[in-house]
Amino acid sequence: SQQGEEDPQALSIQEGENATMNCSYKTSINNLQWYRQNSGRGLVHLILIRSNEREKHSGRLRVTLDTSKKSSSLLITASRAADTASYFCVRSSSGTYKYIFGTGTRLKVLA
Amino acid sequence: EAQVTQNPRYLITVTGKKLTVTCSQNMNHEYMSWYRQDPGLGLRQIYYSMNVEVTDKGDVPEGYKVSRKEKRNFPLILESPSPNQTSLYFCASRGSGTDTQYFGPGTRLTVL
């Protein structure tokens, strides 16, 4: 399968803790994005990291990318109940118009 | 408000009855795409369109058709739906020069 793999599949943490989810892929990428989906609704873009970048921050989000290991991680710091959602990594390759989604991590933040 | 709209949001139909799910965006985006989401499989790309009259297959195009006659609309057509097309469908769009996609609210399709 071309799909990226994410782990863990599900994660449950207490409010205020950090949440880390990982994404691995098999082919070279142009960039990698993370999206959030609340309970069967449409996806919302969170952050994009390019293949020549190693780390990127946006508010409480920190994304890292290791192209040698073909993996990325998303860290959400000081999590809130409102962060409860599914998180997907999405990759694209240069020269194509296709997007490959990971299988997602279901995050539950307990108040 | 910038948005992607899909209709209908929910649809229950029977095997073989042709249906169309509409998608429209008001952001003047060149690129539009359809995805299906199934439990444990994430989202898989069905078809995409780079611009008017330019479409191409994604990873799971079998059983689907699309058309792009206008920039804002990208309907998904199931000419003879089958139960294995029961799924949650998302339309998305993005502008040129960016990979950030904007997603519609989803269409939950059940084929009996």
Side-chain angles (χ1 to χ4, degrees), chain B residues 5-6 20-25 30-35 45-51 53-56 65-77 90-93:
Chain B
T5 57
Q6 296 178 225
T20 299
V21 184
T22 65
C23 173
S24 182
Q25 50 93 6
E30 289 77 14
Y31 182 96
M32 298 184 75
S33 183
W34 276 103
Y35 299 88
Q45 195 167 24
I46 303 171
Y47 268 97
Y48 58 93
S49 170
M50 292 77 81
N51 214 324
E53 302 290 2
V54 183
T55 64
D56 206 349
K65 284 177 59 176
V66 293
S67 68
R68 187 91 181 274
K69 293 184 170 56
E70 307 166 281
K71 200 172 187 179
R72 64 182 295 127
N73 296 322
F74 189 44
L76 180 70
I77 303 156
F90 288 101
C91 179
S93 72

Side-chain angles (χ1 to χ4, degrees), chain B residues 4-31:
Chain B
V4 178
T5 57
Q6 296 178 225
N7 282 292
R9 296 288 314 281
Y10 302 90
L11 179 60
I12 300 175
T13 189
V14 295
T15 299
K17 187 176 180 181
K18 180 179 179 179
L19 67 92
T20 299
V21 184
T22 65
C23 173
S24 182
Q25 50 93 6
N26 63 359
M27 294 168 279
N28 201 37
H29 285 166
E30 289 77 14
Y31 182 96

Side-chain angles (χ1 to χ4, degrees), chain A residues 2-3 9 30-31 33 35 37 39-45 48 50 86 88 90 92 96-104, chain B residues 9 31 33 35 37 40-45 48 50 57-59 88 90 94 97-106 108:
Chain A
Q2 293 188 66
Q3 284 187 289
Q9 290 187 356
N30 189 41
N31 62 55
Q33 306 174 67
Y35 285 77
Q37 182 183 34
S39 190
R41 296 185 179 178
L43 281 75
V44 175
H45 180 260
L48 179 151
R50 301 196 183 285
S86 291
F88 294 91
V90 184
S92 65
T96 78
Y97 293 92
K98 289 186 177 181
Y99 294 92
I100 308 296
F101 281 71
T103 50
Chain B
R9 296 288 314 281
Y31 182 96
S33 183
Y35 299 88
Q37 182 176 25
L41 295 177
L43 278 76
R44 294 177 293 169
Q45 195 167 24
Y48 58 93
M50 292 77 81
K57 296 176 181 178
D59 289 326
L88 180 57
F90 288 101
R94 66 159 175 80
T98 175
D99 278 307
T100 300
Q101 294 183 76
Y102 294 83
F103 281 80
R108 190 167 292 279

Side-chain angles (χ1 to χ4, degrees), chain B residues 15-16 36-39 41 44 46 60 62-64 78 80-89 109-112:
Chain B
T15 299
R36 61 178 288 174
Q37 182 176 25
D38 302 290
L41 295 177
R44 294 177 293 169
I46 303 171
V60 288
E62 295 78 20
Y64 304 95
L78 285 73
S80 184
S82 62
N84 64 14
Q85 293 178 297
T86 292
S87 188
L88 180 57
Y89 291 87
L109 172 66
T110 301
V111 183
L112 302 174

